[in-house]
Amino acid sequence: SDPLSPYLHSKLAYLYVETGNIKKAREEADTAFVENTDSIDVLYNIGEVYSRINLMSKAEDVYKRIIDLDPGEVRAYMILSLIYNSTDQKEKTENIYRKLINTKPDIGYYYLGIVQAEQKKYKEAKDWDKKQQEKKFLDENELLEQISKED
């Protein structure tokens, strides 16, 4: 298969969404998703198309694939959490941020705190905020240590 094919199908899908041809948009997005295995840019295009035509479970699969390919891809976590929030899946929203802690702890802790606050779990929110602040402080100290070693 042509390596440009998934990219072109994803772009066609986006153009079909823009012109209101939802059926063709879905066909092109489906083709791009099946053919594509590792291009994060193509996957973001496909995910956006699925989101815009309200195929949230398909969009979820796309963003999960992005995270599998690059666990540090923060944007995919954010979009996935928006999908979960829009479909009222609070537990999944929390779980996606818990997974983010493994690669980007300060960001994961921060957003877990926000999710907890939205659910009026203020003690938990405060705990996550404290962990985020501690991690941020530790990261700054590690950076200072690296700089002093270089001198």
Side-chain angles (χ1 to χ4, degrees):
S1 116
D2 181 1
L4 283 179
S5 183
Y7 174 78
L8 294 175
H9 285 292
S10 73
K11 285 299 191 181
L12 276 171
Y14 187 82
L15 291 172
Y16 282 128
V17 167
E18 289 293 309
T19 60
N21 191 336
I22 303 305
K23 182 177 185 236
K24 291 293 281 178
R26 181 179 181 169
E27 288 172 7
E28 293 295 340
D30 287 346
T31 300
F33 190 52
V34 168
E35 289 183 11
N36 180 61
T37 56
D38 61 357
S39 171
I40 289 176
D41 290 336
V42 170
L43 289 169
Y44 274 119
N45 290 343
I46 298 166
E48 184 172 346
V49 168
Y50 284 146
S51 295
R52 289 184 62 190
I53 62 176
N54 208 27
L55 294 173
M56 295 312 197
S57 66
K58 285 189 162 278
E60 177 183 353
D61 292 341
V62 172
Y63 294 112
K64 283 180 176 179
R65 185 184 289 180
I66 292 171
I67 291 168
D68 288 342
L69 290 170
D70 183 356
E73 188 65 36
V74 174
R75 183 174 154 214
Y77 289 93
M78 304 303 289
I79 295 170
L80 197 50
S81 74
L82 291 172
I83 290 171
Y84 292 148
N85 273 334
S86 73
T87 55
D88 203 33
Q89 299 180 69
K90 300 296 183 199
E91 188 174 312
K92 283 188 174 183
T93 302
E94 285 183 39
N95 289 338
I96 201 66
Y97 288 129
R98 288 179 198 280
K99 188 173 180 179
L100 181 58
I101 287 171
N102 295 325
T103 55
K104 303 280 185 182
D106 54 333
I107 296 170
Y109 289 138
Y110 176 77
Y111 283 103
L112 266 171
I114 290 174
V115 170
Q116 296 293 329
E118 286 173 350
Q119 296 178 34
K120 300 190 183 333
K121 298 178 181 176
Y122 298 116
K123 183 191 176 315
E124 292 92 338
K126 187 176 176 182
D127 292 343
W128 288 120
D129 183 60
K130 184 178 177 185
K131 285 183 180 184
Q132 187 262 340
Q133 295 299 324
E134 289 169 355
K135 180 61 184 160
K136 185 176 178 183
F137 180 72
L138 289 173
D139 287 345
E140 288 170 0
N141 281 341
E142 290 169 6
L143 181 61
L144 289 173
E145 280 181 33
Q146 288 176 351
I147 292 170
S148 66
K149 286 179 184 177
E150 292 173 4
D151 289 339

